[in-house]
Amino acid sequence: MQQNISSIGTSSDGVWQGENPLNYSFPLLIVQTTLVLLTSRGLAFLLKPLHQPKVVAEIISGILLGPSALGRNKYFLNLVFPSWSTPILESVASIGLLFFLFLVGLELELSTIRQSGRKAFSIAVAGMSLPFIFGVGISFFLRKAIKGEDKVGYGQYIMFLGVALSITAFPVLARILAELKLLTTHVGQTAMAAAALNDVAAWILLTLAVALAGNGSSGAHKSPLISVWVLLCGVAFVAFMFILVRPMMTWVARRSSIEQDYVMEEAFICLTLIGVMLSGFMTDLIGIHAIFGAFIFGIIIPKGGEFGPKLITRIEDFVAGLLLPLYFASSGLRTDIAKIQGIEAWGLLVLIISTACAGKILGTFLTAVLCKIPVRESLALGFLMNSKGLVELIVLNIGREKKVLTDEMFAILVLMALFTTFLTTPTVMVIYKPLRGLERASPPADDLEDELRILACIHGPSNVPSLINLMESIHETNRSPLKLHVMHLVELTDRSSSILMVQRARKNGFPFVSRLCHGAKHDQIASVFEASAQLGRVHHSTAISALSTMHEDICHVAKDRSVEMIILPFHKQWSGEGDEAIKSISHSWREVNQRVLTTAPCSVAVLIDRRFNNPPEQAAQPTTAMPKRVAILFTGGPDDREALKLGQRMTGKQLVQVTLVRFLRGQRDGNRREKELDESALAEFRRSDTSIGYEEKAGSNVVEEVRRIGQSREHDILIVGKGHPSSCREISGNHTECEELGAIGSILTSGHQSLFPSILVIQRPKEAAENVPEMI
């Protein structure tokens, strides 16, 4: 039933008073939003095995809710999406779009574009020029073939069709690269730089297209001077933003970074949000779409410091999670696939898809090959640059609003964008998958004997002090020096902050980047390691990955760098005494540790940080002047022998006191070989340094003795072997709280009545345990 929008109320008095809430704007908006979110998230879950970005599910959900599918039922369409609700839904969606384009501008670093190099610049230019030329070529045919398009001026039509075919969706591409773990490969870096250049060029062309479009077919007879004035005012707006507004926002960002007053911080963020809306209003006033103003405002926000991430944290989840899907829904309501009627119309769809793919892929591929990029990588670049997504829909919706695109042409181009984006991920997975270093040649044997290589993983600054103290205890300058690789593990999510982090990073081998430039957290971590002169040169890197595949990245770099041991932080942290002092970082991090323990090509150690030689209030700085009291708890087995070898590196140091605690346990005949190996390892360890403390404990009460040692506070760190599951059951029974810690580690972490020392639980690879090679 059609209703006059001016007579629609905001909220109803409820069903008990005989009113239908769906006849009122606000309850209906709630139902529409809920339906859109459920549909898009459900489709995203179904498409996840196909490695499709979330934007594909959101586009399909919009089409399904529109007149192409569910909307064909007039009762459903009039009940849930009546015509009078369209302006309200589109207004709310436009607010989300406005702030999303602000986030896109915030992600885009102009300095990165300037430093992208000739290859990326050439690929971006060719990747836009050829499809644009192809679009110009078929535009003459399409104007005659599609009814109603001949009423639009040539200039307007060519610009919109050229931009629609040549654009690359930068945000979508970034997440596809993240899904494929290509963000910091040569292909990923080149694609990101070229897409950033493409993005800027596309927005400039879109601005020109909007200025030329006027009001589509109805504006074709307007004076050309109007388009000139629109363009001149647009240039003046950009100049105003960069010359006057940018210094102001730089001051705001600097004050926000150092300001501790919560009220002032909120005022700065509120001021920025007002700036986004005013910028959108100004460009709309000029005659350019409001999103262009928000995009420019995002570009001028300073990228260094804490202000940008604060803005992203405050607005991203609400915008990308709630408002943006409404934009796809409103686009889907406009998309009617039924408008594509007859074999000729579907033939036009095939023609446009073929033209778009051929122009983008061929232009990128040929240019990349000329830039001496390998053929397989060049082809992968072509398909990556062919991804469309949200930016494409924005262009098409503006074209439809300006009456440059008819309903039929709009539906054809939406399907083209959906097809090209859907095609990207599976095609690139088939064409190009970078080697993970499995065929890497082993370094010379002399180098392996000269140094001990350790890969130490951290979650953040809180993991650094104990790690530094442990490494200083292990480090030897004369015999077998230590080579330390520190890997900062960062979870990659759909948040723009993750992509922004990658944008600020420098490449240092797949899939890692060397550091987060201008990041306060990185500066804090790096400065602490640099202050520790005993460690010498420490290699820093950052792994940015989804937690489900983080173990692959860790194991890759361990194999690639030929490390002998991986040190992982425990998924819980202790900052004091009692239960309230325990903070669980994330259960997912525990799963990461478990996967690394299962798949690692070398020894793995889990470090349970109890502020090794550091009180909680001094956690920001490592303490190196105090003696470090180390105890090795030995019950026997390959893992315990590995702990002995690591502990042997700590002997003979002035500030390290090593004590060996051996638990005497009966050995069955079947374990005679293991017993001989244990005795040999113990004898060699005790011969290495006569100052080593030695204690023997009865094996009948291991649990009580281990707890006593932990509660005694006589040691700063305990080194233990994880042990075989059968030995774990023998020591602690069937109950083991943390299987990745083994029996001794679980005993030490299960009680909270007092502050235990830090614990290092070591596991030796199974193949190493069988062949019994030397770690050092």
Side-chain angles (χ1 to χ4, degrees):
M1 182 178 65
Q2 297 293 326
Q3 295 187 29
N4 185 357
I5 189 171
S6 60
S7 64
I8 302 299
T10 304
S11 59
S12 70
D13 292 328
V15 294
W16 297 113
Q17 298 192 42
E19 293 187 352
N20 184 358
L22 296 183
N23 291 332
Y24 293 83
S25 60
F26 187 60
L28 181 61
L29 182 63
I30 293 175
V31 172
Q32 291 172 340
T33 304
T34 304
L35 185 61
V36 168
L37 292 179
L38 288 175
T39 307
S40 61
R41 291 302 175 265
L43 280 172
F45 177 77
L46 294 175
L47 292 175
K48 191 173 183 181
L50 300 177
H51 302 282
Q52 292 299 319
K54 189 170 63 176
V55 66
V56 171
E58 292 173 331
I59 294 174
I60 295 176
S61 66
I63 293 175
L64 289 178
L65 292 173
S68 301
L70 293 175
R72 297 185 70 84
N73 186 319
K74 298 302 180 183
Y75 176 78
F76 170 82
L77 191 65
N78 293 329
L79 180 68
V80 183
F81 295 103
S83 58
W84 61 263
S85 70
T86 302
I88 300 171
L89 180 65
E90 291 182 354
S91 296
V92 175
S94 296
I95 292 289
L97 184 64
L98 191 75
F99 281 98
F100 179 78
L101 265 295
F102 167 70
L103 292 176
V104 172
L106 198 59
E107 289 178 10
L108 200 60
E109 290 203 51
L110 296 180
S111 59
T112 304
I113 297 175
R114 288 196 298 267
Q115 300 168 5
S116 58
R118 294 182 180 179
K119 288 184 180 180
F121 180 78
S122 302
I123 289 171
V125 171
M128 283 203 72
S129 301
L130 193 59
F132 193 90
I133 293 171
F134 282 10
V136 172
I138 66 169
S139 63
F140 296 96
F141 173 72
L142 292 174
R143 285 186 81 253
K144 296 179 180 180
I146 297 178
K147 185 179 179 180
E149 294 293 353
D150 56 343
K151 298 179 181 179
V152 183
Y154 274 107
Q156 307 160 17
Y157 196 67
I158 287 172
M159 287 299 298
F160 267 98
L161 194 61
V163 172
L165 266 61
S166 60
I167 203 166
T168 296
F170 174 78
V172 176
L173 176 64
R175 282 155 182 83
I176 289 175
L177 290 170
E179 173 71 24
L180 297 176
K181 305 186 80 63
L182 299 177
L183 272 170
T184 52
T185 62
H186 181 264
V187 169
Q189 291 284 324
T190 306
M192 287 281 282
L197 286 163
N198 196 309
D199 226 25
V200 173
W203 287 114
I204 294 173
L205 290 175
L206 179 60
T207 306
L208 181 62
V210 172
L212 291 174
N215 196 25
S217 57
S218 63
H221 303 292
K222 289 185 178 180
S223 171
L225 289 177
I226 294 178
S227 299
V228 175
W229 278 114
V230 171
L231 286 174
L232 289 177
C233 290
V235 172
F237 170 78
V238 174
F240 171 78
M241 296 295 286
F242 275 89
I243 296 173
L244 295 179
V245 180
R246 188 176 188 178
M248 295 169 56
M249 294 310 301
T250 302
W251 179 85
V252 168
R254 186 169 58 250
R255 291 294 303 169
S256 177
S257 298
I258 62 176
E259 188 66 57
Q260 300 298 322
D261 187 3
Y262 177 79
V263 176
M264 289 302 298
E265 181 181 307
E266 289 293 305
F268 289 140
I269 291 177
C270 186
L271 178 66
T272 304
L273 300 182
I274 293 172
V276 175
M277 292 183 283
L278 287 178
S279 300
F281 175 77
M282 289 299 296
T283 50
D284 190 81
L285 183 67
I286 291 170
I288 306 172
H289 201 280
I291 59 174
F292 182 74
F295 177 72
I296 295 296
F297 191 77
I299 287 179
I300 68 169
I301 299 292
K303 302 303 186 289
E306 302 175 1
F307 189 60
K310 282 180 183 177
L311 289 170
I312 291 173
T313 302
R314 293 294 181 92
I315 67 178
E316 183 179 31
D317 288 337
F318 183 72
V319 170
L322 182 65
L323 297 183
L324 201 58
L326 295 180
Y327 183 79
F328 292 101
S330 63
S331 299
L333 292 172
R334 297 175 175 183
T335 305
D336 189 358
I337 298 177
K339 296 287 185 181
I340 309 175
Q341 295 179 349
I343 192 169
E344 292 182 0
W346 286 100
L348 290 175
L349 172 62
V350 174
L351 173 65
I352 291 176
I353 291 175
S354 303
T355 304
C357 293
K360 201 72 173 178
I361 296 170
L362 269 179
T364 303
F365 173 75
L366 294 176
T367 308
V369 170
L370 291 175
C371 292
K372 299 181 179 179
I373 296 176
V375 174
R376 190 179 291 268
E377 292 186 12
S378 300
L379 193 57
L381 272 173
F383 279 95
L384 285 169
M385 295 298 289
N386 195 39
S387 60
K388 307 292 183 184
L390 173 67
V391 184
E392 178 82 2
L393 278 188
I394 294 171
V395 173
L396 300 182
N397 276 292
I398 293 175
R400 192 177 182 280
E401 288 174 6
K402 299 295 182 180
K403 300 180 181 178
V404 175
L405 304 176
T406 63
D407 290 345
E408 183 180 359
M409 191 63 188
F410 178 78
I412 289 173
L413 292 176
V414 167
L415 291 181
M416 180 271 292
L418 182 62
F419 179 82
T420 53
T421 307
F422 191 93
L423 190 67
T424 301
T425 304
T427 308
V428 174
M429 290 179 69
V430 172
I431 292 174
Y432 177 76
K433 192 67 176 178
L435 297 177
R436 290 184 171 269
L438 298 179
E439 304 299 327
R440 181 182 185 274
S442 299
D446 293 341
D447 293 341
L448 289 175
E449 292 178 359
D450 290 341
E451 61 185 7
L452 171 65
R453 294 179 174 89
I454 290 181
L455 172 64
C457 302
I458 59 174
H459 295 151
S462 60
N463 301 131
V464 172
S466 290
L467 177 61
I468 288 183
N469 284 316
L470 176 62
M471 292 300 103
E472 287 178 343
S473 303
I474 298 172
H475 181 61
E476 293 184 13
T477 55
N478 298 324
R479 179 177 62 88
S480 186
L482 173 67
K483 185 173 183 180
L484 179 62
H485 300 271
V486 177
M487 186 71 59
H488 185 193
L489 306 180
V490 179
E491 180 183 6
L492 179 67
T493 64
D494 285 335
R495 299 178 64 90
S496 296
S497 50
S498 295
I499 305 302
L500 185 63
M501 195 177 301
V502 176
Q503 280 291 95
R504 295 179 180 179
R506 295 204 303 263
K507 190 178 80 170
N508 186 29
F510 174 80
F512 304 97
V513 288
S514 62
R515 61 179 61 191
L516 307 179
C517 303
H518 311 295
K521 186 175 288 188
H522 164 74
D523 294 338
Q524 182 180 359
I525 293 173
S527 61
V528 175
F529 276 105
E530 290 168 4
S532 179
Q534 294 185 39
L535 293 180
R537 183 182 178 187
V538 178
H539 300 269
H540 299 274
S541 57
T542 302
I544 306 175
S545 179
L547 293 187
S548 59
T549 58
M550 182 74 76
H551 66 286
E552 297 177 7
D553 300 342
I554 297 171
C555 294
H556 160 76
V557 82
K559 194 169 188 70
D560 186 64
R561 306 292 168 84
S562 298
V563 302
E564 285 97 320
M565 179 175 287
I566 301 170
I567 298 180
L568 302 170
F570 194 48
H571 67 280
K572 293 182 181 179
Q573 288 184 348
W574 280 259
S575 57
E577 297 192 28
D579 293 338
E580 69 281 355
I582 303 174
K583 180 180 72 173
S584 180
I585 300 173
S586 172
H587 182 76
S588 298
W589 285 110
R590 180 185 180 184
E591 294 177 353
V592 172
N593 289 356
Q594 290 172 337
R595 294 189 189 105
V596 174
L597 286 163
T598 304
T599 60
C602 59
S603 298
V604 181
V606 179
L607 179 59
I608 297 96
D609 183 6
R610 297 274 194 164
R611 301 306 180 203
F612 174 23
N613 218 8
N614 281 88
E617 62 273 10
Q618 296 178 0
Q621 297 291 336
T623 305
T624 57
M626 296 177 61
K628 300 172 179 63
R629 301 164 299 174
V630 180
I632 304 170
L633 307 186
F634 187 89
T635 59
D639 294 342
D640 284 46
R641 294 195 294 271
E642 194 76 0
L644 278 183
K645 290 169 186 170
L646 185 67
Q648 190 171 343
R649 292 184 62 94
M650 301 181 178
T651 59
K653 295 179 181 293
Q654 184 177 1
L655 294 177
V656 180
Q657 302 171 1
V658 180
T659 301
L660 172 61
V661 180
R662 181 186 183 185
F663 292 92
L664 299 174
R665 300 167 57 227
Q667 299 285 346
R668 296 187 297 271
D669 293 339
N671 294 327
R672 184 172 298 173
R673 173 60 177 165
E674 285 293 317
K675 183 176 180 180
E676 292 175 357
L677 292 172
D678 290 344
E679 293 296 336
S680 175
L682 287 168
E684 181 181 352
F685 179 78
R686 297 187 66 184
R687 284 197 304 267
S688 63
D689 188 354
T690 57
S691 65
I692 297 174
Y694 181 73
E695 299 178 13
E696 289 185 350
K697 305 291 183 182
S700 57
N701 55 347
V702 175
V703 175
E704 290 74 11
E705 284 294 336
V706 168
R707 285 178 177 167
R708 187 199 64 77
I709 292 171
Q711 296 171 16
S712 66
R713 306 200 184 197
E714 296 174 356
H715 309 287
D716 298 310
I717 185 168
L718 303 178
I719 301 178
V720 302
K722 177 186 173 184
H724 192 271
S726 61
S727 62
C728 295
R729 288 191 295 269
E730 188 177 336
I731 292 173
S732 58
N734 293 324
H735 175 68
T736 302
E737 185 174 335
C738 293
E739 292 184 0
E740 65 269 28
L741 301 182
I744 305 297
S746 294
I747 293 170
L748 290 169
T749 55
S750 60
H752 311 305
Q753 62 270 28
S754 71
L755 183 65
F756 291 125
S758 293
I759 308 155
L760 188 70
V761 181
I762 299 177
Q763 173 190 281
R764 198 174 193 179
K766 292 181 179 179
E767 59 272 17
E770 293 170 358
N771 298 326
V772 198
E774 294 294 324
M775 185 187 80
I776 301 173

